[in-house]
Amino acid sequence: MLLQRILLLCRPYARHLAISVFALLGITAVNLAAPMLVRGLIDGLDLSTLTMKDLLAGAALLAGIYLLRAALTFVTAQTSHFASLRTAGDFQKTLYAHLQRLPRSFFQDMKTGDLLNRFSNDANQIEELVSHVLPDFAANVLTLAGAVALMLAINPALAFATFLTLIPILACSALYQKTGEKFDKMFAADAEFTGALQENISGMREIQLFNRQAHEQGRLAGLID
């Protein structure tokens, strides 16, 4: 399975991803707790006896909350992007090493654009997956589990009614499969264009020599469209 192979690639950076997930959970906790703390602060204020000390204490509390969120945001960005960029780099190293072991006949049939796409687009997709999708997915699953448990503890009937609203959302998941197919076609078209562009730039002198500018302009315009 492709995802398993990607997870094996990012295994050396599992510690960074774990830190990123816990930082994301911390951000979620701060976002949930901040309004409650502010409400408690406001409800406890007595304007008739309000002092500068009370105002400073409230401001310090709010500043602490937002500084904590900023620090957690920095941690999750730093750790997740470190892991993702390293994983994408390891993928490119592994891919190039594999290319050098392939027979010469492979390169006769393979388009240059397809190979370049593997090094650029595929690496970018892996970077996006590791830096955002995996940490966000793990944090969201843990957050959802906690939210479900809390909802069931507060009001099971209302929680069940809420779950019913998820049914049409889950039914729409079939649309994501069609979206994935469209993306596959887009990446294939992009690879074909990249290959043609690379060949044209390399052979621009010959194109000009044989006066093929209009033909190649039309061909590349078609690929872009």
Side-chain angles (χ1 to χ4, degrees), residues 16 19-20 23 69-81:
H16 296 83
I19 294 173
S20 176
R69 186 169 64 181
L72 291 171
T73 301
F74 173 80
V75 169
T76 188
Q78 188 81 358
T79 52
S80 64
H81 283 90

Side-chain angles (χ1 to χ4, degrees), residues 18-219:
I19 294 173
S20 176
V21 169
F22 283 113
L24 279 171
L25 289 174
I27 293 172
T28 302
V30 169
N31 289 337
L32 292 174
M36 298 173 64
L37 290 173
V38 172
R39 185 182 67 180
L41 182 66
I42 293 175
D43 291 345
L45 288 178
D46 184 356
L47 296 179
S48 61
T49 60
L50 186 64
T51 64
M52 181 60 67
K53 184 178 179 180
D54 295 328
L55 289 174
L56 291 176
L61 177 61
L62 291 175
I65 291 172
Y66 290 111
L67 283 175
L68 177 60
R69 186 169 64 181
L72 291 171
T73 301
F74 173 80
V75 169
T76 188
Q78 188 81 358
T79 52
S80 64
H81 283 90
F82 177 87
S84 64
L85 291 171
R86 292 283 183 167
T87 302
D90 290 346
F91 163 77
Q92 291 176 321
K93 294 173 188 176
T94 303
L95 177 59
Y96 185 75
H98 177 68
L99 285 177
Q100 292 192 113
R101 294 191 296 268
L102 293 173
R104 287 191 293 271
S105 59
F106 171 83
F107 298 95
Q108 294 174 355
D109 301 327
M110 177 61 68
K111 294 181 179 180
T112 304
D114 289 334
L115 296 178
L116 292 176
N117 251 23
R118 293 288 181 264
F119 278 96
S120 58
N121 288 350
D122 286 11
N124 289 337
Q125 292 297 315
I126 290 175
E127 194 274 332
E128 181 73 16
L129 175 70
V130 177
S131 65
H132 296 291
V133 177
L134 291 180
D136 287 352
F137 177 76
N140 288 338
V141 167
L142 293 173
T143 302
L144 178 62
V148 168
L150 187 62
M151 289 168 65
L152 290 173
I154 294 174
N155 192 323
L158 186 58
F160 180 73
T162 303
F163 298 152
L164 291 178
T165 65
L166 297 177
I167 294 176
I169 297 175
L170 295 175
C172 292
S173 62
L175 295 176
Y176 288 105
Q177 295 180 354
K178 293 186 179 296
T179 303
E181 294 172 1
K182 295 291 185 182
F183 270 106
D184 289 340
K185 292 181 180 179
M186 185 189 75
F187 289 133
D190 186 53
E192 188 176 357
F193 168 71
T194 302
L197 181 62
Q198 191 268 341
E199 292 168 1
N200 278 22
I201 292 175
S202 300
M204 188 59 70
R205 293 177 60 185
E206 289 75 13
I207 292 174
Q208 293 173 344
L209 180 64
F210 292 100
N211 196 28
R212 300 281 292 176
Q213 294 96 322
H215 175 270
E216 293 303 324
Q217 175 71 34
R219 186 168 75 95

